[in-house]
Structure formats: structure tokens, C-alpha cells
Amino acid sequence: MNKHVMRITIIGSGNVATHLAAVFKNAGHRIAQVYSRNLHNALLLAYHVGAEAIDKPEDISPEADIFFLAIKDDAIPAFVPLLSSYNKLIVHTSGAVGLNAIIKVTTNAGVFYPLQTFSKTKEVNFREVPLCIEGADEAITQTLEGLARDISNKVYRINSEKRKVLHLAAVFACNFTNHLYAIGEQLLTGSGMNFDMLRPLIAETADKIKEHSPAGVQTGPAVRNDELTMQSHLQMLNDKPDLQEIYTRLSQDIIKNQNTRNGDK
Amino acid sequence: MNKHVMRITIIGSGNVATHLAAVFKNAGHRIAQVYSRNLHNALLLAYHVGAEAIDKPEDISPEADIFFLAIKDDAIPAFVPLLSSYNKLIVHTSGAVGLNAIIKVTTNAGVFYPLQTFSKTKEVNFREVPLCIEGADEAITQTLEGLARDISNKVYRINSEKRKVLHLAAVFACNFTNHLYAIGEQLLTGSGMNFDMLRPLIAETADKIKEHSPAGVQTGPAVRNDELTMQSHLQMLNDKPDLQEIYTRLSQDIIKNQNTRNGDK
């Protein structure tokens, strides 16, 4: 294998930083440093990937090929000027932040956005994680693409505008979905039942759309326009006005979509 | 095996009727008749399970031990009086309909509610499907429990009131969740991207709660109270007021739940 080994410094020690550091290391790259404001967190991650742990921005070494900013969105702008004088590639990993957050300081700029939800304690098959790549020029894009292909089979070139749409779609399909699970749990435990009863249904609902378009497999009272059941559900939620509102809004949107599919006006 | 073989007649030919007929047959029971208003549908299902297909209510034979009403909720009340003179057990399979829909005609009454979403074309591991059982008396409950254990490892005694809560929770965790997937698809295709990009995230989101409480693994801008990102998302939805409303309602509820978890007022 004559692959070019990259020296990667990871800024951050959260879920994305942890998973990226591990998969880059496993793919044969070198993790140079791990920075975190919290030295304990930096040490934990650095230990696992054979890197140096640091907790002061001034200790970040120029001896790296790429700096990965895997930190909170609002911390990105402050970090770019600290690194730009090294003249190395700087990439962030955020769905919601544009490439211009880096470009306005240096054109050695890129984005490397993994479209997945990570927990530190749960393994993810990274080869199935969609990686959305954007570079300030074609050479950078190709460098990032090469790096992305080392760790995933699903590499996409996505510009900042589309990446923001992806991030928004992910909020609906992941964050909001998880909250609906939480509402289900809340309703069950409120009546003395265990959330375990809902788990097989949740698994099957997600499994179904692996091979179908979700709009095509919509089920439930709203898509049938079963007003009696919907009214009875709203009545059960009489002491939970927030859930009533969510129920109404989502049901109306399902009915509207269904009418559009049926060609109504 | 000295198991008592039951003669089961299935009223209905939809998804629930199809799956129940198949698993009862596989468990060694006999499907006597399959009724559907649509003879073609009755024939299709009856052929697969070695039963007689009928499309006229007057052709329903008394030669059965149990009648399963796997039909639409509002069709249940009309069918019970047609069968009650046979003095056999009549059960419906609905989450939203009370046991009293049958009891007011005959006390030979029960409910057999599978808490799962079924498609005719997709296999389901029925041993993992929660079956919610209710009988008009202890003997009926035990009969239904025995039958349920023949086909599933997850058998629960659930009264009509709790079953309605389960059904409502399932609307949130399954029907509404699927609609959030559909919104994700709509946003992606509207920007020229493919829904495939979201599929791994959806799978992981569902996978995560197999071993966690959903409220404990909530992620996204709302739970972080990241107002800048939420405002930017709402702005992107400026031409989609319905999605703005859904976004706002769900975000507010996530924030409220988070505050409750943190012990705020």
C-alpha cells in the first residue's frame, strides 16, 4: 500500500472528534494532537489514538497536514485565526456552518461533515456513514475525498447551501424523531406501561423505509382521514395541550401530503 | 405435542389479517374461512393458508372456535351481531376500539391487538411482536394468552383504556415518525439530493433507543438551546409555513422537556 499517511490534529474531544480520530487511526493515518479545553477529555481520547493531548491553543503544533475542527459551531470562528498562520488545511465538521467561516481567514479550507448521530459509547459502522465533502478548490476537495474514502463507502461532494438543507432534514428525521419516541415513552410510563412495548414498532418503522419512500408507506389515522380516531386521541390529550398541538400539526400535514399525492388541490 | 388446535376464521384480508392468518397456520392452527368483501383478496389469502374464501357475511360458517375481526375500526360494530348467535369467541384486533364494542352484544368477547406496523410485502418476525390481550373473563383471557404465546414471545394483558394509550403512543412513535422521514425526503429531493443520504442516520436513530431511554439520548439544536441554528432553520423554511410550525412546536417541546429534566420550573 503506497497510501499517503496524513498527520491529523483533532480540535475537540466530543462524539464526532472521538469517532473521527479512531477511524482515521484505524485507516492508517496518524493522529498528531488532540486538543480540548478539558485536559482530562483530551488525554482520554489522545491515549486511545496514540496522540499528544493538549489543553492550550498555543500548544497546537504546526506539525500536522490537516486540522479538524470538531467543536461546537459557535467556537469555529475563534479557532481558525489561531491556526491559519501554519498554512495547513483547516476543515470543520459542521452541517450548519458554511465553508466561508474558514475561507474568510484562509483559503486552505474545507468541510468534512459526517451525516450521522454519534454516541461515545456506541459503535457505528463508519463505512456506512455518509461523508459530505467541500473544499475551497479542486485540489483540497480531492484530498478530502481521498481521506473520506479511506474510512467510508459513502462520500458526497456537497456545497455549503445543500449541506444546510441536509442538516435541517437531519433535525426532522433524527432529532425530532427521537423526541417522538420520547413522547411515546412519556405516554406509556404515564399509564404504568413500559417503553419496551413500543421498541419493536419503532424498529420496524425505521426498517420499512430502508427500501421504500416514507410517503408511500405512511399509515395511521391521519393518512386514512379517520376523524373519529383523531378526535378521540385529541380528547385523551386534553391535559397535554403541547402534545395536542403537535398531534394536530403533524396530522394536518400528513392529510395535506396525502391530498397532494391523490392529485387534489 | 398435545396442543389444542384451534379453528380460526379470519374476517378481513388486510395487513393484520394476512399476517395473523399466516402465523396461526404456521403455529399448527387451522384457518377455517377467510372473509373479505372483495372475493379476489379473500381468495389470495385463503389460498396461502388452506382456508375457504368467502365474500358474503351469510356464508360465514359456525364451524370455528374463534372469529378474528381484522377489519377497519368502524366496520367492527356491524359484524358482531352477525356472528354472536354462533356462541363462539369473537375478538377484534384494534388498538383504538374498546372491548365493549363486542361485549354489548355478547360476552364471548376478547381483544387481540398486535402492536406493530405491517406491510403485506414485508416479513415480520412475529415472535418479537407485542400482543396485547384482553378477555371478557379469565377463561377467555387465558385462551387468548395461550394462542398469543403460540406465535409471540411478547404477550401482555392490557385493558381497553391502556390499549388506547398504547395506540396513541404508537401514532407518535410510528405514524408521525414516518411523516418526519417523509419531510426529510421532501427537503432533500427539493434541493436535488437523494433520500439515501438520510437512511443511515434514520437507522442509527432508531437503533440508539434499543438500549437507551429516548429522552436521555436527545440531540440537536433544540436540546442544546442553540437559538442561532434554530433561527437559521426557520428562515430556510420561510416558504413552508407548515414545516415552520412543526419545527417550532417540536423544538419548544424538546426545550421544555430538557428544562424539566434539569429541574427548572
Side-chain angles (χ1 to χ4, degrees), chain A residues 117 119 208-209 242 256, chain B residues 117 119 199 208-209 242 256:
Chain A
T117 174
S119 323
K208 236 181 196 178
I209 58 92
D242 299 335
K256 200 189 72 177
Chain B
T117 174
S119 324
R199 285 190 158 107
K208 236 180 196 178
I209 57 92
D242 297 336
K256 199 189 72 179

Side-chain angles (χ1 to χ4, degrees), chain A residues 116-117 119 122 167 175 178-179 185 199 204 207-209 212-214 218-220 233 242 253 256, chain B residues 116-117 119 122 167 175 178-179 185 199 204 207-209 212-214 218-220 233 242 253 256:
Chain A
Q116 187 52 282
T117 174
S119 323
K122 187 171 182 305
H167 185 250
N175 306 148
N178 186 75
H179 185 59
E185 179 175 36
R199 284 190 158 106
E204 178 68 13
D207 209 50
K208 236 181 196 178
I209 58 92
H212 291 96
S213 163
Q218 183 67 49
T219 55
H233 283 164
D242 299 335
D253 207 52
K256 200 189 72 177
Chain B
Q116 187 49 283
T117 174
S119 324
K122 187 170 184 307
H167 185 251
N175 306 149
N178 186 75
H179 186 58
E185 178 174 39
R199 285 190 158 107
E204 178 67 14
D207 210 50
K208 236 180 196 178
I209 57 92
H212 292 96
S213 162
Q218 183 67 49
T219 55
H233 283 165
D242 297 336
D253 208 52
K256 199 189 72 179

Side-chain angles (χ1 to χ4, degrees), chain A residues 181-197:
Chain A
Y181 300 162
I183 292 172
E185 179 175 36
Q186 180 188 328
L187 291 170
L188 258 61
T189 54
S191 285
M193 293 181 283
N194 194 297
F195 182 58
D196 277 346
M197 293 190 73

Side-chain angles (χ1 to χ4, degrees), chain B residues 35 38 57 84 101 147 195 214 259:
Chain B
Y35 165 87
N38 179 317
S84 56
L147 199 57
F195 181 58
N259 289 343

Side-chain angles (χ1 to χ4, degrees), chain B residues 6 66 89 112 133 138-148:
Chain B
M6 302 280 251
I66 305 191
L89 184 51
F112 196 100
I133 298 306
E138 178 62 23
I140 292 174
T141 305
Q142 285 184 12
T143 298
L144 292 177
E145 262 185 341
L147 199 57

Side-chain angles (χ1 to χ4, degrees), chain A residues 60-75:
Chain A
I60 299 175
S61 158
E63 298 298 315
D65 301 305
I66 307 191
F67 293 97
F68 266 85
L69 303 178
I71 51 184
K72 281 187 183 162
D73 289 0
D74 54 10

